[in-house]
């Protein structure tokens, strides 16, 4: 076999770019020249960033260009992104109504931190807290308190920090050691929960997950992980892996019994990033919120099933007593006094306005129709996938409540009542069936994800949490914008792609195993928009580690 050299597209481009620049002998300054006089040209493509002069990427240019050209350059650059509506990997809403968008544009410069300057915005913020508290059954007599945040990640950190501080205060009052706090969560926990433990120096105690526990926190193992140093438990209402709700009420009962026997009071923080806007409208009989006295705080993402643009989270504590007073800052800022408990300060206020717009525009009936429609679409996709015989669904919202296995040749239920089925998010998580893998061992599940990406869909293929990491799943998140036509085409494309792979040469298929990972490893430019959410880097990726392992733990995918 002959030796081969690595070909660098960047070097080839620069070489021919310089050659073209030398032979052209021309420079453009943004104007066309006619008879010695400058003539303005309206086209945004006639400017000094021509085919032989790349736009600035890593250094601030000495001179800029006109606003129209700058817009067109960036607009064209963003054409390389995928279509948000076909990003079926994300829980984040990708649709904003025109009126909501207009409100956002009209208020885009308002700072949520400036309460004295924008009192109407602050009032809208308070109304949103009250509305969320009411749908989560907070009691007005307990004086619930809460705040908007930058997504659920900040909200989770605030909830965890409040639990840690309450535990410390109680231990100090009793004259006990406060140096070894721990927090309990399932191994399926979203990365923000683990970040809290690492950033705020709390021991992370992960409860293993399994098929028997629906790939979520196993309530039967809770008592094996708690003790007097446990500051609380994170319980997830809607796992990002399979969409299952973790059993909040069951865990609460276990902790009630534990307190009765030991005197140790362990609170619950519910991470309802997605479920906080699904359960109230689709699963009202599922008890998970402030109806349980042990639930001290709840977070949710307004930018997920709250149907707001990216960047908005919420957290509410059941009472003022649940939030230690010395965590609250009183700030004299820009002429007013503001109470604050956040990790951020200045931030946009238009997302809060969008949330309030949704509340008064949709109301309970509107949210109920939208969320039930998403669940209905998710059930349809699940039933289609399993009926092919190619796939097995790990998500269970399409199965009658209490049933957890697919039964071939049984007609799918057609009830439109979400309470008839297993509770969960509008998520479809599936894998190749055992029979399929036996019949077509050359077909790799990751190849299905890759070939669907060619068609424009972003559907991830990734492993389940530790102890189940040998099982990989494909996952689709059904959102408001999933129409019946798109869903039908998606079903067709999944089947077509799978059958194309069945008929393909096994050797050719090996090249499709993990192409995106390979491209990222070989890339000369740091890619900030990966699922790992790396820090933005200057220059090249040559200094990046060659593996996703980290000396302090493991990287986890996020929603």
């Amino acid at each position: 076999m002959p030796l081969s050299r690595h070909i660098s597209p960047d070097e080839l481009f620069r070489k021919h770019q310089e050659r073209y620049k030398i032979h052209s002998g021309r420079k453009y300054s943004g104007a066309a020249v006619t008879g010695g006089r400058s003539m303005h040209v309206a086209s945004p493509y006639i400017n000094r960033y021509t085919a032989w002069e790349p736009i600035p990427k890593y250094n601030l240019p000495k001179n800029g260009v006109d606003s129209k050209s700058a817009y067109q350059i960036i607009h064209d650059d963003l054409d390389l992104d995928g279509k948000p509506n076909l990003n079926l990997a994300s829980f984040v809403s990708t649709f904003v109504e025109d009126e909501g968008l207009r409100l956002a544009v009209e208020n885009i410069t308002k700072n949520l931190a400036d309460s004295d300057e924008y009192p109407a915005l602050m009032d809208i913020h308070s109304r949103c807290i009250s509305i969320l508290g009411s749908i989560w059954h907070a009691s007005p007599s307990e004086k619930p308190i809460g705040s908007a945040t930058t997504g659920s990640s900040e909200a989770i950190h605030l909830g965890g920090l409040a639990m840690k501080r309450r535990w410390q205060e109680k231990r100090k009052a009793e004259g006990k050691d406060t140096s070894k706090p721990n927090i309990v969560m399932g191994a399926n926990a979203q990365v923000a929960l683990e970040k809290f433990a690492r950033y705020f120096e709390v021991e992370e105690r992960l409860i293993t997950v399994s098929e028997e526990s629906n790939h979520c926190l196993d309530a039967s193992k809770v008592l094996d992980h708690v003790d007097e140093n446990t500051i609380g438990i994170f319980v997830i209402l809607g796992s990002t892996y399979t969409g299952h709700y973790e059993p909040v009420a069951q865990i609460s009962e276990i902790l009630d019994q534990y307190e009765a026997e030991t005197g140790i009071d362990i609170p619950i923080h519910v991470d309802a990033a997605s479920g906080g806007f699904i359960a109230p409208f689709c699963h009202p009989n599922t008890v998970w919120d402030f109806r349980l006295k042990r639930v001290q705080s709840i977070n949710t993402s307004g930018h997920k099933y709250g149907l707001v643009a990216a960047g908005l989270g919420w957290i509410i504590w059941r009472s003022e007593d649940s939030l230690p007073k010395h965590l609250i800052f009183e700030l004299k800022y820009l002429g007013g006094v503001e109470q604050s408990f956040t990790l951020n300060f200045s931030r946009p206020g238009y997302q809060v306005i969008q949330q309030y717009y949704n509340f008064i525009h949709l109301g309970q009936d509107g949210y109920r129709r939208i969320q039930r429609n998403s669940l209905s679409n998710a059930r349809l996709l699940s039933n289609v996938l399993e009926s092919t015989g190619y796939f097995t669904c790990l998500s269970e919202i399409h199965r009658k409540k209490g049933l957890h296995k697919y039964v071939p040749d049984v007609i799918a239920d057609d009830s439109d009542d979400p309470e008839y089925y297993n509770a969960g998010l509008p998520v479809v998580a599936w894998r190749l069936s055992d029979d399929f893998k036996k019949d077509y061992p050359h077909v790799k599940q990751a190849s299905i994800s890759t070939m669907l990406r060619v068609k424009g869909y972003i559907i991830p293929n990734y492993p389940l949490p530790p102890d189940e990491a040998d099982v990989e799943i494909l996952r689709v998140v059904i959102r408001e914008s999933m129409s019946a036509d798109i869903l039908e085409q998606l079903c067709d494309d999944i089947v077509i792609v799978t059958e194309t792979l069945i008929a393909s040469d096994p050797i050719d298929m090996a090249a499709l195993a993990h192409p995106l990972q390979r491209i990222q490893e070989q890339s000369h430019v740091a890619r900030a928009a990966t699922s790992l959410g790396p820090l933005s880097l200057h220059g090249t990726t040559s200094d990046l580690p060659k593996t996703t392992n980290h000396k302090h733990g493991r990287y986890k995918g996020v929603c």
Side-chain angles (χ1 to χ4, degrees), residues 245 275 277-286 367-375 379 401 416-421 423-424 426:
Y245 293 166
F277 277 103
I278 296 292
F281 305 109
C282 300
H283 308 112
N285 296 328
T286 299
Y367 267 105
R368 186 176 295 109
R369 286 196 304 270
I370 289 171
Q371 315 300 35
R372 288 191 172 201
N373 184 65
S374 295
L375 281 167
R379 290 195 297 270
K401 187 172 292 185
D416 198 41
D417 182 5
E419 292 280 50
Y420 179 81
Y421 304 93

Side-chain angles (χ1 to χ4, degrees), residues 302-535:
H303 62 227
K304 292 178 182 175
Y305 289 104
L307 311 180
V308 175
L312 180 66
W314 298 98
I315 182 168
I316 297 181
W317 288 269
R318 71 175 306 119
S319 71
E320 291 180 347
D321 294 337
S322 300
L323 180 57
K325 287 182 172 55
H326 66 276
L327 287 178
I328 301 174
F329 286 84
E330 284 197 354
L331 308 172
K332 295 180 179 180
Y333 180 65
L334 298 179
V337 178
E338 174 189 350
Q339 286 191 327
S340 173
F341 176 43
T342 61
L343 301 180
N344 296 291
F345 193 59
S346 293
R347 56 154 295 162
Y350 70 86
Q351 294 142 328
V352 172
I353 296 171
Q354 283 187 327
Q355 185 72 84
Y356 186 60
Y357 165 79
N358 284 341
F359 284 159
I360 64 175
H361 168 55
L362 296 174
Q364 294 184 30
D365 287 343
Y367 267 105
R368 186 176 295 109
R369 286 196 304 270
I370 289 171
Q371 315 300 35
R372 288 191 172 201
N373 184 65
S374 295
L375 281 167
S376 179
N377 283 337
R379 290 195 297 270
L380 177 57
L381 176 58
S382 301
N383 287 321
V384 169
L385 291 173
E386 289 195 323
S387 65
T388 64
Y390 299 158
F391 306 110
T392 297
C393 286
L394 282 73
S395 52
E396 298 184 327
I397 54 158
H398 61 300
R399 298 191 182 116
K400 185 179 178 180
K401 187 172 292 185
L403 296 181
H404 303 286
K405 294 290 185 181
Y406 170 63
V407 180
D409 302 324
V410 173
I411 299 176
D413 296 299
D414 58 2
S415 172
D416 198 41
D417 182 5
E419 292 280 50
Y420 179 81
Y421 304 93
N422 293 313
L425 303 178
V427 167
V428 183
W430 77 97
R431 63 173 178 83
L432 293 173
S433 68
D434 293 337
D435 288 341
F436 182 94
K437 288 187 285 188
K438 187 186 301 181
D439 294 338
Y440 309 106
H442 68 287
V443 176
K444 305 304 178 185
Q445 197 166 282
S447 301
I448 297 175
S449 174
T450 301
M451 291 187 67
L452 287 171
R453 182 66 179 260
V454 173
K455 289 178 173 286
Y457 305 104
I458 301 176
I459 298 177
N461 178 80
Y462 60 102
L464 288 173
D467 293 319
E468 289 192 293
D470 57 328
V471 177
E472 292 187 344
I473 59 170
L474 293 155
R475 190 197 69 186
V476 163
V477 178
I478 303 295
R479 301 188 301 272
E480 171 191 17
S481 54
M482 173 64 77
S483 68
D485 289 340
I486 294 177
L487 182 63
E488 181 180 3
Q489 187 61 53
L490 174 63
C491 292
D492 286 346
D493 287 337
I494 291 173
V495 173
I496 290 170
V497 161
T498 304
E499 293 181 345
T500 299
L501 290 171
I502 289 174
S504 299
D505 189 299
I507 297 178
D508 294 338
M509 288 301 96
L512 288 177
H514 294 284
L516 183 58
Q517 178 181 342
R518 186 169 60 253
I519 290 170
Q520 289 170 347
E521 289 174 351
Q522 295 175 354
S523 173
H524 289 272
V525 179
R527 304 289 186 181
T530 66
S531 62
L532 298 179
L535 299 175

Side-chain angles (χ1 to χ4, degrees), residues 132-178:
L132 284 169
S134 68
I135 67 174
W136 294 341
H137 299 94
S139 172
S141 63
E142 291 189 272
K143 298 181 179 180
I145 187 172
S147 177
T149 60
T150 306
S152 277
S153 293
E154 181 188 6
I156 287 165
H157 289 188
L158 296 177
L161 187 56
M163 289 195 296
K164 179 182 178 182
R165 194 56 55 91
R166 284 199 309 272
W167 173 82
Q168 288 174 326
E169 290 177 351
K170 185 174 184 295
R171 298 278 291 180
K172 286 179 181 178
E174 296 171 348
K176 297 179 180 179
D177 178 48
T178 63

Side-chain angles (χ1 to χ4, degrees), residues 161-277:
L161 187 56
M163 289 195 296
K164 179 182 178 182
R165 194 56 55 91
R166 284 199 309 272
W167 173 82
Q168 288 174 326
E169 290 177 351
K170 185 174 184 295
R171 298 278 291 180
K172 286 179 181 178
E174 296 171 348
K176 297 179 180 179
D177 178 48
T178 63
S179 64
K180 299 178 181 179
N182 68 71
I183 191 160
V184 177
M185 66 191 85
N188 59 308
Q190 200 263 355
V191 69
L193 281 70
E194 296 194 62
K195 280 185 177 181
F196 163 76
R198 186 177 299 177
Y199 292 172
F200 291 95
E201 298 181 322
V202 177
E203 179 194 351
E204 171 192 277
R205 293 186 175 180
L206 296 179
I207 297 179
T208 57
V209 303
S210 65
E211 184 177 358
E212 289 70 29
S213 67
N214 293 325
H215 317 285
C216 293
L217 187 156
D218 189 339
S220 68
K221 298 180 180 179
V222 166
L223 294 182
D224 297 333
H225 293 76
V226 299
D227 56 30
E228 64 178 356
N229 292 315
T230 302
I231 66 171
I233 296 184
F234 284 142
V235 186
I236 305 171
L237 194 75
S239 171
T240 57
Y241 286 92
T242 61
H244 287 94
Y245 293 166
E246 293 185 335
V248 187
Q250 181 184 358
I251 293 170
S252 178
E253 290 177 5
I254 291 171
L255 294 177
D256 287 344
Q257 183 63 34
Y258 181 73
E259 182 180 7
E261 295 173 356
T262 65
I264 298 173
D265 180 13
I266 299 176
I268 290 174
H269 172 89
V270 178
D271 173 18
S274 296
F277 277 103

